[in-house]
Amino acid sequence: MSTMVPPLYAGLVDDASLLPPSPTGLADAEAKHREHASAWYAELIGALLVPASVVGTEPVPRVPAALIGDIPIGALPATVEKLRAAGMRIEHIEAAVARRGEDPQPGLSLLRAFAVDEHPHRGESRIWAEIPLSWGLIGALDTVVDARTEGLPIAPKFRVGGLAAELFPTPVELAAVICACRDRQLPFKLAAGLRHATRHTDPETGFTHHGFLNVLVATLLAVDGAEVAEVAEALAATHPVPLVEPARRHRDTPRPLFAGFGAANVVEPLTELVRLGLINGGYE
């Protein structure tokens, strides 16, 4: 008998099959996304992430999608209008406001102005501001809070991996970010590096990746009032045992703050959740 994905995991995994270095073409990615959307695990899957640079050269997708603004922020308004006119259904927009080491405030100002123009016409379409995990972060989060106070649907997104070791925050660093979002009641998304459920070291690169289940449990602890050290302990766990039971306890409640992450192959995180007994494989 088919069952739904528990509420704790609803919309957890965005379909990042079009993002670099994936060789998948738009037509193939859209077809596969339709398959996911009709599968028993459909409620686990979020949006199809579509880079603006891709849809600029191919026909727009006909499934609801999230636009990844891999173009200058100043070009976003015209690009969004052009894509909507071509029939693209944009569920939300994600855009980087700065490179690592740059001041995020100018980019946030541009994104805020875009949100002001976007909001009255597009309802509650959310805009995710990708903020570097470097200097200026706390001020940037406060700027996002100010924008949300004005009714603008902006929230932060962070990269927690990449092609260099310094792009992977330590458990303590990421715990501090999660607690900062908790203190400001900011939902957040994560990108890059979340390849498996639990924290692990990639044997090919030597980089230690965060686990998406670690992040989920760490966020649950933070929302319950845990401080940075306890949140960091959950992020540092390399074995699923201390993570599975907290996840089971919260399986029937909506996931707080941690809005989700992208995966090039959404079946991989699904498979790990099934193996851990946190999703029952579609049957009861």
Side-chain angles (χ1 to χ4, degrees):
M1 176 177 172
S2 179
T3 63
M4 295 174 62
V5 170
L8 183 64
Y9 310 109
L12 176 65
V13 187
D14 285 332
D15 183 349
S17 57
L18 278 169
L19 300 188
S22 173
T24 305
L26 182 53
D28 290 340
E30 182 177 355
K32 194 65 178 178
H33 188 77
R34 290 184 187 276
E35 290 181 21
H36 296 317
S38 61
W40 66 265
Y41 54 84
E43 292 189 22
L44 176 71
I45 311 303
L48 175 64
L49 305 181
V50 181
S53 58
V54 169
V55 289
T57 59
E58 298 187 40
V60 299
R62 296 300 172 177
V63 295
L67 185 69
I68 304 299
D70 58 344
I71 56 176
I73 292 178
L76 265 180
T79 300
V80 168
E81 287 305 314
K82 178 181 177 181
L83 294 175
R84 284 196 172 117
M88 184 172 176
R89 291 175 288 168
I90 300 174
E91 287 193 337
H92 65 260
I93 298 163
E94 304 179 15
V97 298
R99 294 188 178 93
R100 186 177 175 85
E102 292 180 345
D103 183 0
Q105 293 295 344
L108 277 172
S109 295
L110 289 173
L111 203 59
R112 191 170 177 170
F114 170 63
V116 169
D117 293 336
E118 177 85 354
H119 186 47
H121 306 291
R122 305 300 177 187
E124 293 300 318
S125 177
R126 180 166 286 177
I127 298 171
W128 297 93
E130 185 180 310
I131 302 171
L133 295 177
S134 59
W135 74 276
L137 171 63
I138 297 302
L141 294 182
D142 290 337
T143 297
V144 173
V145 171
D146 291 342
R148 291 171 67 85
T149 301
E150 297 172 5
L152 300 176
I154 299 179
K157 170 186 170 184
F158 310 108
R159 288 192 171 271
V160 293
L163 299 178
E166 62 268 21
L167 299 178
F168 293 80
T170 67
V172 171
E173 290 169 340
L174 184 53
V177 172
I178 291 174
C179 288
C181 288
R182 182 268 319 273
D183 294 342
R184 293 163 176 77
Q185 298 183 332
L186 288 174
F188 64 91
K189 293 186 75 171
L190 297 182
L194 293 174
R195 294 183 179 177
H196 296 292
T198 53
R199 183 173 176 82
H200 67 285
T201 299
D202 187 319
E204 294 184 4
T205 65
F207 298 152
T208 301
H209 292 248
H210 291 283
F212 65 83
L213 186 60
N214 296 75
V215 174
L216 176 53
V217 171
T219 305
L220 291 171
L221 289 170
V223 170
D224 284 343
E227 295 303 325
V228 170
E230 187 178 355
V231 175
E233 185 177 352
L235 290 170
T238 56
H239 196 282
V241 167
L243 305 173
V244 167
E245 188 52 38
R248 281 182 178 149
R249 284 201 307 270
H250 291 83
R251 72 187 301 273
D252 294 323
T253 58
R255 185 175 62 260
L257 295 187
F258 178 30
F261 67 99
N265 181 357
V266 299
V267 174
E268 290 182 348
L270 168 68
T271 301
E272 296 203 17
L273 288 169
V274 170
R275 286 175 176 168
L276 292 171
L278 296 174
I279 291 179
N280 64 10
Y283 298 92
E284 64 181 4

